[in-house]
Amino acid sequence: MAVALQPLVRGAACQLAEGHPPVVVLNDIPFTHKVALTAIGRGEPIIKYGSPIGSALVDIQAGEHVHVHNIGSNY
């Protein structure tokens, strides 16, 4: 998972993290929101800055917006 340092537009192919292949963005992603770099299965932990912040409520595809609509908080 990566944090968008600028707004990302749906359909854009972005190099989101060093060492990862480009990802096609599936949704518009606002500045500072999260985007999946790889598929995340339902129930898998969501890691932000090395710490678990929640779990996926549904399967999340690479390039998809990761936010309160598809993760359950650990807090």
Side-chain angles (χ1 to χ4, degrees):
M1 192 184 63
V3 176
L5 299 180
Q6 63 186 35
L8 302 175
V9 179
R10 185 179 105 192
C14 299
Q15 182 69 42
L16 298 173
E18 188 175 325
H20 286 271
V23 173
V24 175
V25 178
L26 301 179
N27 318 96
D28 289 339
I29 312 285
F31 171 65
T32 71
H33 282 224
K34 298 168 292 303
V35 59
L37 296 176
T38 60
I40 301 168
R42 182 176 186 228
E44 288 187 36
I46 303 296
I47 309 296
K48 182 177 180 181
Y49 302 129
S51 298
I53 61 168
S55 300
L57 296 175
V58 296
D59 290 337
I60 301 170
Q61 298 177 52
E64 192 171 348
H65 188 197
V66 180
H67 199 54
V68 297
H69 66 284
N70 57 9
I71 66 171
S73 176
N74 283 351
Y75 303 100

